[in-house]
């Protein structure tokens, strides 16, 4: 079954190595806008010519691109300076690719975990802000926006100081509704009430609240109607929407669900 035309209006997450090795033809044939995931394998193992060839094919096809920055074991706010060095190195590798792909955004995790960092929050916040200020400035100079995503944060108040301090650098918030459902102690409505003004990107997938299972939209228990009603009431907030299916068969159902519930009017074609 062909994908609905709303696929042109959203991004779809795909790790670079999967894109390059298996999915590029599918992405091009279906006019998909990729959110390209960059991990250690891609950053350390792929030659510039390979990145350039992929970027050229996407540009020729008229694709809009965004990046998901590396995150596994990274901690930009770490108390350990050596860990901060490794984290910065990964972000420097991302910066090298920005002029090649010209992504609209780079989505990053803070690495914050309450049990691990809560007792040293002030120092963690100071270190984290130093990293994000540098990275945001570098990205802004290249015409790309830094967007910070919620993962294990218990509530929006954990991200609010970061976003408030970075406001002058046009850093946005990426609301991952799956992470909010699986890991947060605060409601979706509270996340929107507190951080809605910073909302610049959405990661949409579903789960049943017990794990980050990345189901197709409508297959779990996430109350998407709360999100869509917020977007309808705040029409000036139009975040970039990214779908995050973890199996191929979940892409189509999520697109059809989103087409049916598109918050900015029925005419989503």
């Amino acid at each position: 079954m062909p994908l609905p035309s709303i696929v042109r209006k959203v991004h779809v997450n795909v790790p670079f190595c999967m894109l390059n090795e298996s999915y590029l033809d599918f992405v091009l044939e279906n006019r998909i806008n990729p959110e390209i995931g960059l991990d250690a394998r891609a950053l350390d193992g792929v030659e510039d010519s390979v990145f350039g060839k992929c970027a050229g094919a996407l540009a020729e096809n008229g694709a809009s691109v965004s990046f998901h920055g590396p995150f596994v074991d990274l901690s930009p706010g770490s108390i350990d300076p050596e860990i901060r060095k490794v984290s910065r190195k990964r972000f420097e590798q991302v910066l090298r690719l920005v002029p090649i792909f010209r992504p609209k955004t780079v989505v990053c995790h803070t690495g914050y975990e309450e049990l691990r960092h809560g007792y040293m929050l002030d120092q963690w916040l100071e270190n984290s802000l130093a990293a994000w200020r540098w990275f945001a400035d570098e990205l802004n100079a290249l015409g790309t926006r830094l967007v910070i995503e919620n993962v294990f944060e218990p509530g929006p108040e954990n991200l609010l100081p970061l976003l408030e301090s970075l406001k002058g650098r046009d850093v946005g918030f990426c609301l991952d509704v799956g992470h909010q459902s699986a890991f947060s102690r605060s409601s979706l409505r509270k996340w929107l009430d507190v951080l809605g003004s910073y909302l610049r990107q959405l990661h949409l997938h579903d789960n049943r609240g017990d794990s980050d299972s990345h189901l197709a939209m409508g297959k779990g228990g996430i109350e998407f109607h709360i999100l869509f009603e917020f977007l309808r009431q705040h029409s000036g907030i139009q975040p970039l929407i990214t779908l995050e299916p973890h199996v191929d068969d979940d892409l189509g159902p999520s697109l059809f669900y989103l087409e049916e519930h598109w918050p900015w009017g029925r005419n989503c074609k």
Side-chain angles (χ1 to χ4, degrees), residues 251-262:
L251 176 57
S254 286
L255 287 168
F256 283 109
Y257 183 95
L258 191 55
E259 185 175 59
E260 181 181 353
H261 298 89
W262 191 249

PDB file of all heavy atoms in Angstrom, residues 251-262:
ATOM      1  N   LEU A 251       5.361   2.151  10.227  1.00  0.00           N
ATOM      2  CA  LEU A 251       5.408   3.464   9.588  1.00  0.00           C
ATOM      3  C   LEU A 251       4.068   3.824   8.967  1.00  0.00           C
ATOM      4  O   LEU A 251       3.522   4.905   9.225  1.00  0.00           O
ATOM      5  CB  LEU A 251       6.513   3.510   8.537  1.00  0.00           C
ATOM      6  CG  LEU A 251       6.596   4.817   7.725  1.00  0.00           C
ATOM      7  CD1 LEU A 251       6.786   6.020   8.641  1.00  0.00           C
ATOM      8  CD2 LEU A 251       7.725   4.734   6.695  1.00  0.00           C
ATOM      9  N   GLY A 252       3.528   2.951   8.140  1.00  0.00           N
ATOM     10  CA  GLY A 252       2.263   3.235   7.476  1.00  0.00           C
ATOM     11  C   GLY A 252       1.141   3.548   8.448  1.00  0.00           C
ATOM     12  O   GLY A 252       0.464   4.583   8.317  1.00  0.00           O
ATOM     13  N   PRO A 253       0.884   2.689   9.468  1.00  0.00           N
ATOM     14  CA  PRO A 253      -0.183   2.993  10.429  1.00  0.00           C
ATOM     15  C   PRO A 253      -0.005   4.323  11.146  1.00  0.00           C
ATOM     16  O   PRO A 253      -0.987   5.031  11.400  1.00  0.00           O
ATOM     17  CB  PRO A 253      -0.106   1.813  11.402  1.00  0.00           C
ATOM     18  CG  PRO A 253       0.433   0.692  10.589  1.00  0.00           C
ATOM     19  CD  PRO A 253       1.428   1.326   9.645  1.00  0.00           C
ATOM     20  N   SER A 254       1.238   4.685  11.479  1.00  0.00           N
ATOM     21  CA  SER A 254       1.452   5.979  12.129  1.00  0.00           C
ATOM     22  C   SER A 254       1.127   7.132  11.194  1.00  0.00           C
ATOM     23  O   SER A 254       0.537   8.143  11.602  1.00  0.00           O
ATOM     24  CB  SER A 254       2.904   6.094  12.611  1.00  0.00           C
ATOM     25  OG  SER A 254       3.128   5.297  13.745  1.00  0.00           O
ATOM     26  N   LEU A 255       1.492   7.001   9.943  1.00  0.00           N
ATOM     27  CA  LEU A 255       1.185   8.058   8.976  1.00  0.00           C
ATOM     28  C   LEU A 255      -0.313   8.207   8.779  1.00  0.00           C
ATOM     29  O   LEU A 255      -0.841   9.330   8.733  1.00  0.00           O
ATOM     30  CB  LEU A 255       1.862   7.752   7.642  1.00  0.00           C
ATOM     31  CG  LEU A 255       3.384   7.960   7.608  1.00  0.00           C
ATOM     32  CD1 LEU A 255       3.979   7.346   6.349  1.00  0.00           C
ATOM     33  CD2 LEU A 255       3.737   9.449   7.692  1.00  0.00           C
ATOM     34  N   PHE A 256      -1.033   7.104   8.664  1.00  0.00           N
ATOM     35  CA  PHE A 256      -2.484   7.179   8.491  1.00  0.00           C
ATOM     36  C   PHE A 256      -3.150   7.749   9.748  1.00  0.00           C
ATOM     37  O   PHE A 256      -4.110   8.522   9.657  1.00  0.00           O
ATOM     38  CB  PHE A 256      -3.058   5.806   8.152  1.00  0.00           C
ATOM     39  CG  PHE A 256      -2.821   5.390   6.727  1.00  0.00           C
ATOM     40  CD1 PHE A 256      -1.928   4.380   6.413  1.00  0.00           C
ATOM     41  CD2 PHE A 256      -3.488   6.029   5.685  1.00  0.00           C
ATOM     42  CE1 PHE A 256      -1.695   4.004   5.095  1.00  0.00           C
ATOM     43  CE2 PHE A 256      -3.271   5.664   4.367  1.00  0.00           C
ATOM     44  CZ  PHE A 256      -2.376   4.652   4.065  1.00  0.00           C
ATOM     45  N   TYR A 257      -2.642   7.373  10.919  1.00  0.00           N
ATOM     46  CA  TYR A 257      -3.175   7.928  12.169  1.00  0.00           C
ATOM     47  C   TYR A 257      -2.955   9.435  12.207  1.00  0.00           C
ATOM     48  O   TYR A 257      -3.863  10.213  12.546  1.00  0.00           O
ATOM     49  CB  TYR A 257      -2.490   7.264  13.357  1.00  0.00           C
ATOM     50  CG  TYR A 257      -3.007   7.704  14.703  1.00  0.00           C
ATOM     51  CD1 TYR A 257      -3.981   6.981  15.366  1.00  0.00           C
ATOM     52  CD2 TYR A 257      -2.506   8.853  15.324  1.00  0.00           C
ATOM     53  CE1 TYR A 257      -4.459   7.383  16.613  1.00  0.00           C
ATOM     54  CE2 TYR A 257      -2.970   9.266  16.558  1.00  0.00           C
ATOM     55  CZ  TYR A 257      -3.945   8.527  17.199  1.00  0.00           C
ATOM     56  OH  TYR A 257      -4.415   8.942  18.434  1.00  0.00           O
ATOM     57  N   LEU A 258      -1.753   9.846  11.850  1.00  0.00           N
ATOM     58  CA  LEU A 258      -1.436  11.268  11.882  1.00  0.00           C
ATOM     59  C   LEU A 258      -2.243  12.028  10.838  1.00  0.00           C
ATOM     60  O   LEU A 258      -2.696  13.159  11.093  1.00  0.00           O
ATOM     61  CB  LEU A 258       0.063  11.455  11.642  1.00  0.00           C
ATOM     62  CG  LEU A 258       0.659  12.844  11.883  1.00  0.00           C
ATOM     63  CD1 LEU A 258       0.358  13.328  13.293  1.00  0.00           C
ATOM     64  CD2 LEU A 258       2.155  12.828  11.637  1.00  0.00           C
ATOM     65  N   GLU A 259      -2.442  11.439   9.685  1.00  0.00           N
ATOM     66  CA  GLU A 259      -3.253  12.085   8.659  1.00  0.00           C
ATOM     67  C   GLU A 259      -4.676  12.319   9.160  1.00  0.00           C
ATOM     68  O   GLU A 259      -5.272  13.378   8.937  1.00  0.00           O
ATOM     69  CB  GLU A 259      -3.272  11.215   7.409  1.00  0.00           C
ATOM     70  CG  GLU A 259      -4.002  11.847   6.230  1.00  0.00           C
ATOM     71  CD  GLU A 259      -3.875  10.994   4.980  1.00  0.00           C
ATOM     72  OE1 GLU A 259      -4.287   9.823   5.010  1.00  0.00           O
ATOM     73  OE2 GLU A 259      -3.362  11.512   3.983  1.00  0.00           O
ATOM     74  N   GLU A 260      -5.218  11.340   9.887  1.00  0.00           N
ATOM     75  CA  GLU A 260      -6.589  11.461  10.405  1.00  0.00           C
ATOM     76  C   GLU A 260      -6.690  12.512  11.501  1.00  0.00           C
ATOM     77  O   GLU A 260      -7.726  13.185  11.630  1.00  0.00           O
ATOM     78  CB  GLU A 260      -7.050  10.106  10.942  1.00  0.00           C
ATOM     79  CG  GLU A 260      -8.478  10.118  11.480  1.00  0.00           C
ATOM     80  CD  GLU A 260      -8.904   8.773  12.017  1.00  0.00           C
ATOM     81  OE1 GLU A 260      -8.138   7.778  11.863  1.00  0.00           O
ATOM     82  OE2 GLU A 260     -10.009   8.693  12.598  1.00  0.00           O
ATOM     83  N   HIS A 261      -5.631  12.667  12.295  1.00  0.00           N
ATOM     84  CA  HIS A 261      -5.689  13.559  13.460  1.00  0.00           C
ATOM     85  C   HIS A 261      -4.837  14.811  13.301  1.00  0.00           C
ATOM     86  O   HIS A 261      -4.592  15.512  14.275  1.00  0.00           O
ATOM     87  CB  HIS A 261      -5.230  12.794  14.705  1.00  0.00           C
ATOM     88  CG  HIS A 261      -6.088  11.633  15.056  1.00  0.00           C
ATOM     89  ND1 HIS A 261      -5.880  10.360  14.559  1.00  0.00           N
ATOM     90  CD2 HIS A 261      -7.190  11.544  15.840  1.00  0.00           C
ATOM     91  CE1 HIS A 261      -6.789   9.538  15.032  1.00  0.00           C
ATOM     92  NE2 HIS A 261      -7.587  10.225  15.809  1.00  0.00           N
ATOM     93  N   TRP A 262      -4.390  15.095  12.099  1.00  0.00           N
ATOM     94  CA  TRP A 262      -3.537  16.250  11.842  1.00  0.00           C
ATOM     95  C   TRP A 262      -4.092  17.501  12.516  1.00  0.00           C
ATOM     96  O   TRP A 262      -5.232  17.897  12.289  1.00  0.00           O
ATOM     97  CB  TRP A 262      -3.410  16.474  10.343  1.00  0.00           C
ATOM     98  CG  TRP A 262      -2.376  17.461   9.917  1.00  0.00           C
ATOM     99  CD1 TRP A 262      -2.604  18.694   9.369  1.00  0.00           C
ATOM    100  CD2 TRP A 262      -0.948  17.313   9.967  1.00  0.00           C
ATOM    101  NE1 TRP A 262      -1.406  19.317   9.072  1.00  0.00           N
ATOM    102  CE2 TRP A 262      -0.374  18.487   9.426  1.00  0.00           C
ATOM    103  CE3 TRP A 262      -0.094  16.293  10.422  1.00  0.00           C
ATOM    104  CZ2 TRP A 262       1.000  18.671   9.346  1.00  0.00           C
ATOM    105  CZ3 TRP A 262       1.274  16.484  10.329  1.00  0.00           C
ATOM    106  CH2 TRP A 262       1.801  17.656   9.800  1.00  0.00           C
TER     107      TRP A 262
END
